[in-house]
Amino acid sequence: MKRWLIRNGYFVTMEESRPVFQGWMAVEGTLIADLGEGEPSAEALESSDEVFDGRGLLFLPGLINTHGHAAMSLLRGFADDLVLQDWLQNYMWPMEAKFSGEDVYWGSALAAAEMIKSGTTTFLDMYDHMNRVGEVAAKSGLRAVLTRGVIGLCSEEVQKAKLQDAISFAKDWHGAADGRITAMMSPHAPYTCPPDYILKFVEAAHELDLPIHTHMSETQAEVEQNIRDYGVRPAMHLDRLGVFSRPAIVAHAVHLTDEEIALLADRGVAVSHNPVSNLKLASGVARVPEMLEAGVTVSLGTDSVASNNNLDLFEEIRMAALLHKGVTGNPTVVPAGEALRMGTVYGARAVGLEGKTGVLKPGMKADFIAVSTDKPHFVPRTDYVSHLVYAASGADVKHVWADGRQLLRDGELLTLDEEQIRFEAQACYERLRG
Amino acid sequence: MKRWLIRNGYFVTMEESRPVFQGWMAVEGTLIADLGEGEPSAEALESSDEVFDGRGLLFLPGLINTHGHAAMSLLRGFADDLVLQDWLQNYMWPMEAKFSGEDVYWGSALAAAEMIKSGTTTFLDMYDHMNRVGEVAAKSGLRAVLTRGVIGLCSEEVQKAKLQDAISFAKDWHGAADGRITAMMSPHAPYTCPPDYILKFVEAAHELDLPIHTHMSETQAEVEQNIRDYGVRPAMHLDRLGVFSRPAIVAHAVHLTDEEIALLADRGVAVSHNPVSNLKLASGVARVPEMLEAGVTVSLGTDSVASNNNLDLFEEIRMAALLHKGVTGNPTVVPAGEALRMGTVYGARAVGLEGKTGVLKPGMKADFIAVSTDKPHFVPRTDYVSHLVYAASGADVKHVWADGRQLLRDGELLTLDEEQIRFEAQACYERLRG
């Protein structure tokens, strides 16, 4: 098994005991073997097949995007600045209805290319034609948490077929690509799935021993509808249906009461906070400081490019650190270190990969990125965590490794053909426009 | 005079009559000579000394940063996530008190390097040791609006000396560097300058025929203090003192009543909206949709790197487009085109350069940038204005021209020595830390 070593780098580990230092890190196969301050020992150097010079680079765990719909990258810039129902009914849904497996493949490949280039090594994706997303994940080298998102506003027959599709996909892909791919079960949202249908997903999740991912309380309107239809707010509704008896991650969670926050904390439900999408669609501002205070695991997601409009997780990290200060009037909430944890270690915890990724320490998967610090916006060298959160962007990412394999070298993709992807994605878009 | 031509490019002109097209643009000396769709005429090609291939590039006016303190780039990451008074009294002011002219020079040079690399061609700067900022502006090739910001909480003698310094600087530098540098008069803020001292700046501004720049209503606390001390809110206070009898631009303007917004509109006072800084310092969210609706010229500023922590104006543009949607609950406010105007044409208007910069059309100064679109986040080619606002960043800027001169080529600075600047800025910071 190949063993190699990085020296002369700065490391932001996300470990509390040793957060930032200048030093070295050894990788063996798919795992981080060891790391330490200063110079590696002569023995460590001798036992390495290769030594990588980390000068001018800052190494940190690969970022974790905990909510998205990769294929929708085909709709970047197609419709912006519209009222939600107009946007959905007249732009998104008609286009998405036309998506073939081929469109999903190239849209997801476009997303994978963008994610790797901007430093994401793990992404959660909820969509349709998920076999094609699985192919992209396998080929790209990314770590992926994949789930067939199912809308249940249809006949019982179609409901059954969709549930079966979700189950088959999860069985086929959970543990695929040397374990890089894991699966979840996803009823799309409380307002798009009748309660008895959600119950079937909970049952399947128990049988398959998988977590559940769903949208929850993105808009005030859907919360009000939930109260009208079921007499309770969405978190209590999902809890009653047993969704939180599984490990669960809910996307958005913008409109929550104190009671709902306490319930999520009590049940160990993680949240995927999508600040840019929530602003762009005017959904509102999630109560992130209160959730963190209550002990809820808050991770970060981009949502799809149609409401973002990029997949640069550095932006979500920065937005999480900025937005809640301004809205609460308290400049000490979501400090830089906490925002970076939301994009790394909390992300891993949220998608069931705690102890595998999101932290640089021995025994963890070698999922990490190198950011170039030879740029004006990294000067002076005061606090690299601050610089990563408040000054950096995905464009500063120079190299990326996932599962011990290099996916990006000097800004160039190694596992995907970027030029082909851009060409095919453009062609898909033009076909969809007709 | 050298005449050269760009062909095969996409152009985002910020002109209403012809906003986006594929075509060509001719530059003669410091000015845009002509531009048009499709191919240039044989005559236009023949009369050009040089032809530049614009394939894969999107050309737009250079961005305009209408509020900042460039030298404070030396304090990037020095202190974050603190309560305002703690941050100011225990971190910013003690360090700034130690700034020498040399520190201001290298701090401003660091800022100039970062601004050029991220697509800004005009910046407004308010600080001390302004001769050194003037030197940086002259050398860098940037267009600059410079002003000695004066705090008047001192003896009458010191007040006099500072006012004299501000007047001398304005006289020496207004129109310098082939007209690239213009000056303003700047009492720092209503809460840091007694009324009779502000009056002296108004008088000087009239004598020198210069605009006035000041901070206004950044925090709720300073508004309350203004009411306690002077019986009126800051906009009425400044109006009474004659500040708005001059062309004026106020920075921040976060806490405004309807009456104040109407007053700014009536007096033609421009606002520099600094959304990232306002969030980071927890100052609040300015009422930008209402100001735009009332006809106030709203431009964009980064404020200093100490509260941002970078000078990428693309981020301010995106933040302006996102934030106000989320906070007002209306996804149609500050649409992409309006946000881009805030960073270009409204910026020019705000700093007294309307008709000179901020738009690509014949007779305007050749201040423009080229963004590389051969990247995943520019695919598909749906709407380049949307992509610039919602997907791009300063890192996509490949070439920059100001006053007809190229300042950045393939991401490399042509007028400044980036490596030296990074080295010297680091050294300044270390000396300041002692």
Side-chain angles (χ1 to χ4, degrees):
Chain A
M1 201 180 298
K2 185 180 157 189
R3 186 184 168 101
W4 62 285
L5 191 139
I6 297 160
R7 68 194 292 186
N8 301 320
Y10 275 90
F11 293 84
V12 172
T13 65
M14 307 313 292
E15 263 218 292
E16 278 172 35
S17 63
R18 195 170 51 182
V20 186
F21 59 86
Q22 189 173 20
W24 57 275
M25 182 166 82
V27 177
E28 194 167 320
T30 67
L31 300 176
I32 295 171
D34 205 358
L35 71 175
E37 294 181 45
E39 281 295 312
S41 66
E43 196 191 328
L45 283 168
E46 268 167 39
S47 66
S48 296
D49 304 313
E50 201 182 307
V51 175
F52 184 96
D53 188 2
R55 226 170 303 218
L57 295 173
L58 183 58
F59 295 85
L60 66 151
L63 305 180
I64 299 175
N65 187 341
T66 65
H67 182 67
H69 314 286
M72 290 177 77
S73 287
L74 293 184
L75 301 180
R76 189 192 325 266
F78 170 63
D80 304 295
D81 307 330
L82 298 169
V83 170
L84 188 67
Q85 286 310 314
D86 181 21
W87 182 71
L88 286 172
Q89 288 171 11
N90 300 320
Y91 295 88
M92 292 298 115
W93 292 343
M95 284 291 266
E96 288 186 87
K98 291 195 262 175
F99 273 29
S100 66
E102 200 67 2
D103 295 319
V104 168
Y105 182 86
W106 290 112
S108 300
L110 180 64
E114 192 188 346
M115 286 192 280
I116 294 170
K117 294 189 90 172
S118 55
T120 289
T121 56
T122 298
F123 72 108
L124 185 158
D125 202 65
M126 178 210 275
Y127 211 63
D128 192 3
H129 300 285
M130 288 303 296
N131 287 318
R132 306 310 304 273
V133 184
E135 287 172 39
V136 170
K139 183 175 164 63
S140 68
L142 286 164
R143 197 171 300 286
V145 180
L146 304 181
T147 177
R148 163 62 155 111
V150 176
I151 292 181
L153 304 172
C154 47
S155 70
E156 208 173 313
E157 200 175 353
V158 177
Q159 277 190 352
K160 261 188 195 164
K162 285 180 169 182
L163 174 62
Q164 193 46 55
D165 184 39
I167 290 171
S168 300
F169 173 77
K171 283 183 175 169
D172 291 348
W173 287 88
H174 187 65
D178 304 320
R180 276 192 289 111
I181 297 175
T182 53
M184 290 190 177
M185 293 300 290
S186 285
H188 172 273
Y191 70 97
T192 56
C193 291
D196 61 338
Y197 196 43
I198 292 179
L199 283 172
K200 286 177 182 145
F201 278 82
V202 174
E203 194 182 333
H206 274 289
E207 266 170 34
L208 298 168
D209 194 20
L210 292 177
I212 293 180
H213 181 45
T214 190
H215 297 90
M216 191 185 86
S217 304
E218 181 176 4
T219 67
Q220 185 61 38
E222 76 188 65
V223 172
E224 285 162 13
Q225 186 186 330
N226 203 92
I227 295 170
R228 272 199 311 275
D229 292 352
Y230 308 119
V232 287
R233 295 180 67 92
M236 289 67 174
H237 177 63
L238 292 178
D239 189 47
R240 275 190 200 169
L241 294 171
V243 170
F244 301 158
S245 68
R246 296 298 312 161
I249 169 171
V250 294
H252 303 301
V254 176
H255 301 278
L256 301 185
T257 60
D258 290 347
E259 198 186 346
E260 283 178 295
I261 291 175
L263 178 68
L264 297 182
D266 181 67
R267 299 294 193 269
V269 176
V271 164
S272 178
H273 175 43
N274 296 187
V276 170
S277 174
N278 295 159
L279 290 176
K280 184 157 186 270
L281 298 178
S283 306
V285 178
R287 297 175 60 196
V288 167
E290 291 93 333
M291 288 194 271
L292 290 168
E293 178 71 27
V296 175
T297 297
V298 184
S299 61
L300 292 170
T302 51
D303 206 353
S304 95
V305 146
S307 61
N308 192 299
N309 295 350
N310 66 39
L311 299 174
D312 182 351
L313 210 73
F314 280 93
E315 271 189 27
E316 305 298 327
I317 291 170
R318 173 151 53 246
M319 186 62 92
L322 292 171
L323 179 61
H324 303 291
K325 293 177 171 65
V327 167
T328 63
N330 181 351
T332 69
V333 302
V334 196
E338 188 76 343
L340 197 55
R341 281 189 285 275
M342 290 167 71
T344 54
V345 58
Y346 298 166
R349 191 180 299 162
V351 300
L353 293 172
E354 191 172 23
K356 281 201 171 169
T357 189
V359 178
L360 301 186
K361 72 174 178 183
M364 301 287 285
K365 287 290 186 182
D367 296 353
F368 60 97
I369 64 180
V371 163
S372 170
T373 58
D374 290 338
K375 307 196 174 186
H377 58 272
F378 277 92
V379 176
R381 290 185 298 276
T382 45
D383 177 345
Y384 274 145
V385 171
S386 166
H387 289 355
L388 286 171
V389 171
Y390 291 121
S393 83
D396 297 320
V397 174
K398 195 170 178 184
H399 310 292
V400 171
W401 290 263
D403 218 36
R405 178 185 183 194
Q406 190 163 10
L407 310 186
L408 189 81
R409 182 191 295 143
D410 286 321
E412 297 292 325
L413 294 170
L414 300 179
T415 54
L416 299 174
D417 182 338
E418 183 182 329
E419 207 169 317
Q420 183 192 18
I421 289 169
R422 284 197 266 118
F423 177 86
E424 295 289 354
Q426 180 68 32
C428 287
Y429 172 74
E430 286 169 15
R431 274 198 306 275
L432 290 165
R433 283 304 300 270
Chain B
M1 199 179 301
K2 185 179 156 188
R3 186 183 167 100
W4 61 285
L5 191 138
I6 296 160
R7 67 194 292 187
N8 301 320
Y10 275 91
F11 292 85
V12 173
T13 64
M14 306 314 293
E15 263 218 294
E16 278 172 33
S17 62
R18 195 170 53 180
V20 186
F21 59 85
Q22 189 171 19
W24 57 275
M25 182 166 82
V27 176
E28 194 168 319
T30 69
L31 300 176
I32 294 171
D34 204 358
L35 72 174
E37 294 182 44
E39 280 295 313
S41 66
E43 195 192 330
L45 283 168
E46 267 167 41
S47 66
S48 297
D49 303 313
E50 200 182 307
V51 175
F52 183 95
D53 188 3
R55 227 171 300 219
L57 295 173
L58 183 59
F59 295 84
L60 67 151
L63 305 180
I64 299 175
N65 187 342
T66 64
H67 183 67
H69 314 286
M72 291 178 76
S73 288
L74 292 184
L75 301 180
R76 189 194 322 267
F78 171 63
D80 304 295
D81 307 331
L82 298 169
V83 170
L84 187 67
Q85 285 311 313
D86 181 21
W87 181 71
L88 285 173
Q89 289 170 11
N90 300 319
Y91 295 88
M92 292 298 114
W93 293 341
M95 284 291 266
E96 288 186 270
K98 291 194 263 178
F99 274 28
S100 66
E102 201 66 2
D103 295 320
V104 169
Y105 181 86
W106 291 111
S108 300
L110 181 64
E114 193 189 345
M115 286 192 281
I116 295 170
K117 294 188 88 171
S118 55
T120 289
T121 56
T122 299
F123 72 109
L124 186 158
D125 202 63
M126 178 209 277
Y127 211 63
D128 193 1
H129 300 285
M130 288 303 295
N131 288 318
R132 307 309 306 272
V133 185
E135 287 172 38
V136 170
K139 184 175 163 64
S140 68
L142 285 164
R143 195 172 302 284
V145 180
L146 303 181
T147 176
R148 163 67 155 109
V150 176
I151 292 180
L153 304 172
C154 48
S155 70
E156 208 173 314
E157 199 175 354
V158 177
Q159 277 189 353
K160 262 187 195 162
K162 284 181 171 182
L163 174 62
Q164 194 47 53
D165 184 38
I167 291 170
S168 300
F169 173 78
K171 283 182 175 168
D172 292 348
W173 288 88
H174 187 66
D178 304 319
R180 274 192 290 110
I181 297 176
T182 52
M184 289 190 178
M185 293 302 289
S186 285
H188 172 271
Y191 70 97
T192 56
C193 292
D196 61 338
Y197 197 43
I198 292 180
L199 284 172
K200 287 178 181 144
F201 279 83
V202 173
E203 195 182 331
H206 274 289
E207 267 170 36
L208 298 167
D209 194 19
L210 292 178
I212 294 181
H213 180 46
T214 188
H215 297 91
M216 189 187 87
S217 303
E218 180 176 5
T219 68
Q220 185 60 38
E222 76 188 64
V223 172
E224 285 163 12
Q225 186 187 325
N226 205 93
I227 294 169
R228 273 198 312 274
D229 291 353
Y230 308 118
V232 287
R233 297 179 66 90
M236 288 66 176
H237 177 64
L238 292 178
D239 189 47
R240 277 190 198 170
L241 293 172
V243 170
F244 301 159
S245 67
R246 297 297 313 159
I249 168 170
V250 294
H252 303 301
V254 175
H255 301 279
L256 300 186
T257 60
D258 291 347
E259 199 187 345
E260 283 177 296
I261 291 174
L263 179 68
L264 297 182
D266 181 67
R267 299 294 192 270
V269 175
V271 165
S272 179
H273 175 43
N274 297 188
V276 170
S277 174
N278 295 158
L279 290 175
K280 184 156 185 272
L281 298 177
S283 306
V285 178
R287 297 174 61 196
V288 168
E290 290 93 336
M291 288 195 270
L292 290 168
E293 178 72 28
V296 176
T297 298
V298 184
S299 61
L300 292 169
T302 52
D303 206 352
S304 96
V305 149
S307 62
N308 191 300
N309 296 353
N310 65 39
L311 299 174
D312 182 352
L313 209 75
F314 280 94
E315 270 188 28
E316 305 298 328
I317 291 170
R318 172 150 56 247
M319 186 62 93
L322 292 171
L323 178 60
H324 304 290
K325 292 176 172 67
V327 167
T328 63
N330 181 351
T332 70
V333 301
V334 196
E338 188 75 343
L340 197 55
R341 280 188 287 274
M342 290 167 72
T344 53
V345 58
Y346 298 166
R349 191 179 301 161
V351 299
L353 294 172
E354 190 172 24
K356 280 203 173 168
T357 188
V359 178
L360 302 185
K361 72 174 178 184
M364 301 288 285
K365 287 289 186 184
D367 296 354
F368 60 97
I369 64 180
V371 163
S372 169
T373 58
D374 290 338
K375 306 197 173 187
H377 58 272
F378 277 92
V379 176
R381 291 185 296 275
T382 44
D383 177 345
Y384 275 144
V385 171
S386 165
H387 289 355
L388 286 170
V389 171
Y390 291 122
S393 84
D396 297 320
V397 174
K398 194 170 179 184
H399 311 294
V400 171
W401 290 263
D403 217 38
R405 178 184 182 195
Q406 190 162 9
L407 310 186
L408 189 80
R409 183 192 293 144
D410 285 323
E412 298 292 323
L413 294 170
L414 300 179
T415 54
L416 300 173
D417 182 338
E418 182 181 329
E419 208 169 316
Q420 184 193 16
I421 289 169
R422 285 196 266 119
F423 177 85
E424 296 289 354
Q426 180 68 32
C428 287
Y429 171 73
E430 286 169 14
R431 273 198 305 273
L432 290 165
R433 282 304 298 271

